[in-house]
Amino acid sequence: MTESLPSAVAHRVLDAVVAITSNLDLDTVLRRIVEAAMDLTGAKYGALGVRDGERLGRFVPVGMEDSEVEAIDHWPHGHGLLGEVIRNPHPLRVDKIEGYPAASGYPAGHPPMHTFLGVPIQVRDSVYGNLYLTDKRDGSPFTRDDEAAVRALAAAAGVAVDNARLYEDGRRVAVLEDRERIARDLHDVVIQRIFASAMTLMSTTKHIENELVRSRVEEAVNDLDDTIREIRSTIFALQATTPPEASLQERLTAAADAVASALGFAPSVVIESDDSSLVPAEVADQLVVVTGEALTNVARHARASRADVRLRVTDDAITLTVVDDGIGCSGIDAGDHRGGLHNLATRAEALHGTLAVGPAEAVAREVVGARGAGAATTGDGSSPAVPTGRGTALVWRIPNA
């Protein structure tokens, strides 16, 4: 594609290609692509929008001062002129943005721009994203040569992005393997040794006549029990890690499946949300851990034949409910620092949320009331969402900031 370019421009394109393909870090590659395109065309502003369906899931801007970036209300979502390149993945040059039919204005705080060049970036057989350039420094419109140079750069950029993604996926696989190995060692070695030590100490208490000494040994046993619970939470966080492209539904299901053998059955997992992908990544990680820990408590204490996990995401709150049909929750205190629920309460409090534990029937009524429905369902109307009449319900709720 550089054959039709002037010799000097072709050399600059090749130099830019070398620059963007010499690094395998995806974030660095994306920024270098934008910088190279700006250098080739003399553009004042540039950006790379990564596509997520018919919108932009990620936006990498270059050329603005920090103060300008902070003043922008939100990054473009892929409407208007930017959306034109998404809907029609072909190069687009606009000499005057103002008045162009597809233009729809700017987010609040966005600096005004006048000329535009958009070029799609294709990775293998699909469009990965789009390069956007505005306002040449000399004030002139973008030319055919500018378009040809950026098209040539975009072709190489697709290869660079593909290589960086493959490298990143390889690193993630290696990390997942390490996490699985660490989780296995924690479970098979560390927990077993701590458990054995706790049992040994417990067996000696009946032979200790001094009340103060016996009390201190019992405290040590309780501390070891708390340590085991914390390690189990860590194991869930390590093991319930799915591939980077996995949805929250898949991650929660994987966490539930990991406890199925201990439960003796597979729990159901239902998400109520228009778009659960909007759950922040750090909150999603917490939800996975809380699901595993809550179901482990069911396996250890409830003698249940069924458990249901429900995640409800609204504009105001993120609520995870785990309900079983076991022997009930009489005497359970979610805030007891010696109880198995202490870690879950601490995780909720760290995110300005709450943990509540109560009878399943009461929570079933609360869920029905919140939905405004006549009966609790799984979301498709096929079966009850929570068992009623007995059992325990755990509700972990945080604000959806």
Side-chain angles (χ1 to χ4, degrees):
M1 291 187 67
T2 61
E3 291 179 358
S4 61
L5 294 171
S7 167
V9 177
H11 282 299
R12 290 173 59 206
V13 171
L14 292 175
D15 289 342
V17 169
V18 171
I20 65 174
T21 56
S22 62
N23 195 291
L24 289 173
D25 177 73
L26 184 57
D27 290 339
T28 302
V29 167
L30 297 180
R31 185 173 182 85
R32 284 187 177 180
I33 291 170
V34 181
E35 292 171 341
M38 293 170 63
D39 181 61
L40 286 172
T41 60
K44 184 178 179 181
Y45 301 110
L48 194 155
V50 180
R51 288 185 56 169
D52 180 9
E54 293 301 312
R55 63 174 185 160
L56 297 177
R58 184 178 181 186
F59 201 71
V60 182
V62 179
M64 294 185 189
E65 299 293 336
D66 290 344
S67 58
E68 292 179 297
V69 172
E70 291 173 2
I72 297 175
D73 182 57
H74 63 81
W75 289 120
H77 298 307
H79 305 301
L81 190 56
L82 304 192
E84 184 79 2
V85 187
I86 294 177
R87 293 185 293 272
N88 302 293
H90 302 287
L92 175 64
R93 278 188 294 130
V94 176
D95 291 347
K96 189 176 181 181
I97 295 176
E98 186 180 2
Y100 188 79
S104 60
Y106 306 99
H110 196 288
M113 297 176 180
H114 306 93
T115 60
F116 176 85
L117 172 60
V119 176
I121 296 175
Q122 186 163 318
V123 176
R124 300 193 182 187
D125 297 326
S126 61
V127 177
Y128 173 78
N130 301 308
L131 259 174
Y132 303 115
L133 302 167
T134 61
D135 291 7
K136 294 185 68 166
R137 293 187 180 279
D138 62 9
S140 64
F142 292 99
T143 65
R144 289 183 181 274
D145 283 350
D146 291 329
E147 179 183 322
V150 176
R151 288 178 61 198
L153 178 70
V159 176
V161 168
D162 194 29
N163 288 340
R165 290 167 67 188
L166 290 172
Y167 177 72
E168 192 172 79
D169 289 346
R171 284 193 303 175
R172 285 175 179 170
V173 169
V175 169
L176 292 180
E177 291 175 348
D178 282 344
R179 289 164 71 105
E180 180 63 32
R181 177 184 54 78
I182 294 169
R184 187 169 57 250
D185 289 345
L186 284 172
H187 182 272
D188 295 345
V189 179
V190 178
I191 281 185
Q192 297 305 321
R193 288 181 179 177
I194 295 176
F195 183 74
S197 298
M199 292 298 293
T200 299
L201 286 173
M202 183 58 73
S203 66
T204 64
T205 56
K206 59 185 177 183
H207 303 297
I208 299 174
E209 296 182 0
N210 186 295
E211 223 176 277
L212 177 61
V213 175
R214 184 169 60 252
S215 175
R216 288 183 175 177
V217 171
E218 289 173 349
E219 286 181 5
V221 171
N222 287 330
D223 288 341
L224 289 173
D225 196 32
D226 287 342
T227 300
I228 290 173
R229 293 189 187 99
E230 290 174 4
I231 294 175
R232 281 196 173 119
S233 293
T234 301
I235 290 173
F236 280 118
L238 291 169
Q239 286 184 324
T241 304
T242 46
E245 66 275 9
S247 66
L248 183 54
Q249 174 79 50
E250 291 170 329
R251 296 185 66 194
L252 293 180
T253 300
D257 289 344
V259 194
S261 60
L263 288 166
F265 57 87
S268 70
V269 178
V270 175
I271 294 182
E272 287 183 353
S273 171
D274 292 336
D275 189 357
S276 60
S277 67
L278 298 180
V279 175
E282 62 274 13
V283 174
D285 291 341
Q286 291 289 343
L287 290 169
V288 171
V289 174
V290 171
T291 296
E293 183 70 22
L295 289 173
T296 295
N297 285 337
V298 174
R300 292 178 66 194
H301 305 298
R303 297 184 223 164
S305 61
R306 173 178 176 177
D308 295 295
V309 178
R310 178 182 295 277
L311 175 64
R312 190 162 187 259
V313 182
T314 67
D315 291 339
D316 299 324
I318 298 173
T319 306
L320 182 74
T321 305
V322 179
V323 189
D324 66 72
D325 65 350
I327 59 176
C329 58
S330 177
I332 290 181
D333 180 2
D336 186 352
H337 75 281
R338 297 195 183 281
L341 302 175
H342 175 62
N343 287 338
L344 303 186
T346 300
R347 289 178 183 275
E349 290 166 5
L351 295 171
H352 310 290
T354 59
L355 173 72
V357 180
E361 184 174 9
V363 173
R365 288 196 297 268
E366 178 185 345
V367 171
V368 172
R371 288 173 56 89
T377 67
T378 61
D380 60 6
S382 59
S383 61
V386 292
T388 59
R390 60 179 185 145
T392 303
L394 175 149
V395 182
W396 192 88
R397 179 182 286 122
I398 63 171
N400 192 1

